[in-house]
Amino acid sequence: METLRDGTDVLFILIGAVMVLAMHAGFAFLELGTVRAKNQVNALAKIMSDFAVSTLAYFFVGYWIAYGVNFFSNAASLQVEHGFALVKFFFLLTFAAAIPAIVSGGIAERARFYPQLFASLLIVSLLYPFFEGMAWNGNFGMQALIESTFGKPFHDFAGSVVVHAVGGWIALAAVLLLGPRQGRYRADGGVTAHPPSSIPFLSLGAWTLTVGWFGFNVMSAQTVEAVSGLVAVNSLMAMVGGILAALVIGKNDPGFLHNGPLAGLVAVCAGSDLMHPIGALVTGAVAGGLFVYAFTLTQNKWRIDDVLGVWPLHGLCGLWGGIAAGIFGLTALGGVGGVTFGGQVAGTLIGVGIAFGGGFLIYGGIKLLMGLRLSQEDEYIGADLSIHKITAQPDYNRGEV
């Protein structure tokens, strides 16, 4: 019976890992559909290359930093419990690799290829697992301090803060260090529009992410015994809240609409196992509106050229999700309990501070030593031709179609 349970748990978490792995195709197509046509190949190449680099970084260094576990023993010992430790690594790797995928969308169209891969290596091997271990493994006494101060530890079931806010705030540091794309902001104070190159591909990316997210959230239980339908329905309700808020507040804009479910799902990750479905709906709706408002503000008023809006989507909606768990997770609002508002605020702010500061250190160091940005000519030509020597539609560009 125990062998059957172990095997079932391995299959369960493996399915989750594969679903989150598929989300990386969503990241790729979301970026491909949003950037200009001359940067589409680069979007695809970055996400795939980043995943490979992230795998090695997390396998050899990052997972050990976060959990004190390594895989340098013989293969026979790694098969204990049907290899559960290995598939758990695989599952958590897909979370870790989401950080460079998030950053990629913010720095699109003007970042150099190999310096960005090196940044991904540093983020996934050092920066991300540093906070991941603090939040999910009790490292460095953060959780003990929050619990002693506020009565309960910081709660982030599926990564609103650990994954999304961390990724979004690292991306903000990188975007600020890179500066805006050429011609984005004019000397007369105007803003030059760079509309999405393909709404169908953007939509495909959003749908792929949305479907995979149910593996991201539900399988965060990590065992069949701990799985909860509440997580699934809360994810669904937050997704719907995000869609409707983005649709209305974004005035039918398809870019906002397709980011709406992602905003809702980012926000519900932390408290998806605690909230009542109505609380999840409100959490998602607030996130959808927050994304539209913050994206418009950063692009048009603050002149921060975050191409996909990853700081509003992941950074701010993730921050909101960490705090929302401390509101709608309370029993007074129909939640399961086991959280405090103060503890959620504290843990969220610690994560944001580590991500933003660490992002500046990593990208600032690379900018100083290697350079982050494409040359003016290469950026004008586009990352596809200047880096990969081919465009997304080479026959069309030669006039053969």
Side-chain angles (χ1 to χ4, degrees):
M1 196 67 177
E2 185 176 345
T3 299
L4 177 62
R5 185 197 65 197
D6 291 342
T8 303
D9 286 343
V10 166
L11 180 60
F12 173 76
I13 198 170
L14 178 60
I15 292 171
V18 172
M19 290 181 71
V20 184
L21 175 62
M23 290 175 70
H24 288 262
F27 282 119
F29 280 98
L30 189 73
E31 183 173 338
L32 182 156
T34 304
V35 299
R36 289 172 289 180
K38 63 183 179 180
N39 297 294
Q40 290 182 326
V41 173
N42 183 243
L44 297 172
K46 282 190 299 178
I47 301 300
M48 183 164 282
S49 301
D50 274 333
F51 189 87
V53 168
S54 297
T55 299
L56 296 183
Y58 202 60
F59 184 85
F60 287 106
V61 181
Y63 196 69
W64 173 75
I65 287 176
Y67 301 103
V69 175
N70 66 67
F71 301 108
F72 301 126
S73 55
N74 61 58
S77 65
L78 296 178
Q79 287 209 78
V80 174
E81 297 179 333
H82 293 264
F84 180 79
L86 290 172
V87 292
K88 180 179 178 180
F89 156 79
F90 182 12
F91 181 64
L92 291 173
L93 160 68
T94 59
F95 283 51
I99 305 296
I102 290 168
V103 174
S104 176
I107 63 175
E109 302 200 359
R110 76 272 201 206
R112 293 177 62 204
F113 189 69
Y114 285 104
Q116 165 55 21
L117 283 182
F118 184 56
S120 299
L121 178 73
L122 295 177
I123 288 167
V124 179
S125 62
L126 300 173
L127 178 56
Y128 168 74
F130 177 72
F131 181 68
E132 178 191 17
M134 292 171 68
W136 284 345
N137 197 45
N139 296 356
F140 305 111
M142 184 194 83
Q143 291 287 27
L145 177 61
I146 291 175
E147 184 172 10
S148 66
T149 304
F150 298 101
K152 297 291 180 181
F154 171 64
H155 184 87
D156 188 356
F157 180 70
S160 286
V161 179
V162 175
V163 178
H164 297 287
V166 166
W169 284 85
I170 292 173
L172 177 62
V175 167
L176 292 175
L177 286 164
L178 266 176
R181 290 166 288 178
Q182 291 179 38
R184 177 66 170 150
Y185 301 113
R186 302 193 300 269
D188 64 3
V191 180
T192 302
H194 293 324
S197 59
S198 173
I199 294 297
F201 276 137
L202 189 158
S203 177
L204 175 64
W207 271 109
T208 303
L209 283 164
T210 298
V211 172
W213 222 298
F214 286 84
F216 194 99
N217 282 3
V218 174
M219 270 72 166
S220 285
Q222 299 189 17
T223 63
V224 173
E225 186 178 8
V227 72
S228 170
L230 181 65
V231 176
V233 173
N234 280 345
S235 300
L236 175 69
M237 297 299 281
M239 178 192 82
V240 169
I243 291 171
L244 295 177
L247 174 67
V248 174
I249 299 171
K251 300 177 181 177
N252 306 326
D253 182 287
F256 288 140
L257 170 63
H258 285 93
N259 277 282
L262 311 183
L265 286 162
V266 164
V268 82
C269 286
S272 56
D273 62 328
L274 302 178
M275 298 177 180
H276 186 278
I278 296 175
L281 178 68
V282 174
T283 297
V286 170
L290 176 62
F291 170 73
V292 174
Y293 174 76
F295 182 88
T296 305
L297 184 66
T298 53
Q299 296 286 335
N300 298 335
K301 299 285 185 171
W302 294 348
R303 300 166 77 90
I304 298 173
D305 192 16
D306 177 353
V307 180
L308 268 68
V310 298
W311 179 63
L313 180 64
H314 297 276
L316 292 183
C317 292
L319 183 152
W320 157 241
I323 295 172
I327 300 172
F328 296 106
L330 298 174
T331 54
L333 291 177
V336 173
V339 289
T340 64
F341 178 75
Q344 291 304 112
V345 171
T348 299
L349 292 180
I350 290 170
V352 165
I354 289 172
F356 193 51
F360 259 107
L361 283 175
I362 289 173
Y363 281 99
I366 291 174
K367 181 178 181 179
L368 181 65
L369 298 174
M370 304 171 62
L372 276 175
R373 187 161 183 152
L374 291 173
S375 69
Q376 187 172 356
E377 180 181 1
D378 285 347
E379 185 179 340
Y380 177 78
I381 294 170
D384 291 358
L385 282 176
S386 63
I387 297 173
H388 308 288
K389 313 306 179 188
I390 191 169
T391 64
Q393 296 178 308
D395 291 339
Y396 178 83
N397 294 332
R398 289 199 300 265
E400 297 177 9
V401 176

